[in-house]
Amino acid sequence: MDSSSSQYVSTRNIGVYDPTHQFTIWEDHFKSNGDLSLYEPNMKFNNQSEDASFGILGTSIKYDQQANKLTEKMQRRLAQNREAARKSRLKKKAHIQQLESCRLKLVQVEQELDNTRQQGLYIGGGLDSNNLGFAGSANSEITTFKMEYEHWVEEQNRQILELNSALSSHISDTQIEELVNGIMNHYFKLFCMKSDAAKIDVFYVITGMWKTTSEQFFLWIGGFRPSELLKVLVPLIEPLTEQQRFDAYNLEKSCRQAEDALSQGMEKLQGMLTDTVAAGELIEGTYTPHMDTAIERLEALASFVNQADHLRQETLQQMSRILTIRQTARWLLVLGEYFQRLRDLSKVWANRGREPA
Amino acid sequence: MVSKNAIIVFARCGCCMSHVVKRLLLGLGVNPAVHEVEEKDEVGVVRELEFIANDGRKVQFPAVFIGGNLFGGLDRIMATHISGELVHILKQAGALWL
């Protein structure tokens, strides 16, 4: 930069009345300020010399100076543009972030409203934010889980519709198998989602707060009870062979045995958790010092959710082994429709009071 | 201990999952031996059990050994129970007579 400036200076020299004098000044300037901050002061000198030299200089030098002036103006404008673009990008980013957090907040509020309605509680003004946890988890990860679950339900309903129309049309067994695997994997995906959410808030998951009230009524360790479903739904997928009916009956029995074992384990855990909470000392409103034990219990609770889901998963898989592919499709259809009706029942009941008489 | 029993369950003291394993097996008519492990002995016991198992698998509590071999945890018990294989396996190991 310095070298080009000095060259510039020497070019300018020609147009100045007292070249030697000007040159000496510039030279001193360069000597005293060896850095790029020189650029600014240089400009002042340059402008002065431009004015002075306008009438005297040859065209080529005038053009040179004007070209340089243009470049400077252009460069200034480009820099300003860059700055403006950068600011606008930052503004846009901030705006989007704001929108995202508002959206999350909206879902949270909707969820709390839902829970409040479900539990028949009134949360008015004057309550602090701690009490909001009472009506539903205000945790943002749980809100995300609830949102993802809503999407899961929509996808489930779509899959059921697709399977329904596929079964009534003439499609191959391979295509049915594809749809069946899709639905099975969709259930397994929900179990994964629940497992992750249980690590954040196990009580939320295990009490089924994310489900409709009717589903909550039939809840067993954070989900459906496999033996009950088998008992009610298997008759709906007749005709079955004698062997299949026998296998399905045995599956129902095995489920009940597994459920009983898990339930008994849960009871024991509940007792231990109660003891931990009761034994903890309350010092100035804070809960100490048995927090570690309590956390251990809650982690065990989360593993119960996982085991219950594992049982549900194994049951679904065993059914697919007992049945032919088309029967499995019918089974999943019946299962999906059952859940849909249960959810709708909740909404119908909740809305009946709002309908005009 | 492992070789002496047709079926034995190793579990942490007061573990609720081992309670589940126990109740499930009892429900099938099996009376499993249960060995509770204190927290301080855990690491040593795990290492010993992994040595006995000798197939590179990690031992997690509750751990079930059937017929002297590492069978697995509650996951495997559940899976084989639902698929109907567990009863047969237990009978073969002599843990169940009926």
Side-chain angles (χ1 to χ4, degrees), chain A residues 20-43:
Chain A
T20 347
H21 176 64
Q22 282 285 30
F23 188 74
T24 327
I25 294 176
W26 283 334
E27 203 180 40
D28 289 341
H29 211 85
F30 275 118
K31 279 189 200 147
S32 52
N33 308 311
D35 56 356
L36 285 174
S37 58
L38 207 54
Y39 192 62
E40 272 294 292
N42 254 353
M43 298 287 270

Side-chain angles (χ1 to χ4, degrees), chain A residues 251 253-255 257-258 261-262 264-265 268-269 272 300 303-304 307 310-311 314-315 318 321, chain B residues 14-21 23-24 27-28 39 74-76 78-84:
Chain A
L251 177 58
K253 197 169 117 193
S254 303
C255 280
Q257 285 168 328
L262 280 171
Q264 288 184 45
K268 184 168 178 214
L269 183 58
M272 286 163 81
S303 66
F304 267 92
Q307 282 302 330
H310 179 62
L311 176 63
E314 289 296 323
T315 307
Q318 180 66 2
R321 281 182 221 126
Chain B
C15 169
C16 295
M17 280 304 172
S18 71
H19 192 70
V20 175
V21 175
R23 296 244 65 97
L24 187 56
L28 292 175
E39 199 175 333
L74 181 55
D75 272 0
R76 183 129 192 253
M78 277 291 186
T80 48
H81 174 67
I82 292 298
S83 66

Side-chain angles (χ1 to χ4, degrees), chain A residues 107-108 111-112 114-115 118-119 132-150 193-194 196-211 216 219 221-223 298 301 305:
Chain A
V107 175
Q108 265 181 29
Q111 188 192 321
E112 281 160 20
D114 233 351
N115 292 332
Q118 283 180 12
Q119 293 175 22
L132 287 177
F134 188 36
S137 185
N139 194 307
S140 69
E141 277 145 314
I142 293 297
T143 313
T144 312
F145 167 71
K146 179 81 201 264
M147 265 167 58
E148 282 175 1
Y149 174 66
E150 303 288 331
M193 283 163 58
K194 281 165 70 181
D196 291 339
K199 292 187 191 120
I200 310 290
D201 187 344
V202 67
F203 290 124
Y204 181 82
V205 175
I206 208 167
T207 53
M209 296 216 69
W210 41 288
K211 286 181 175 270
Q216 285 176 27
L219 209 71
I221 311 188
L298 295 187
L301 204 58
V305 173

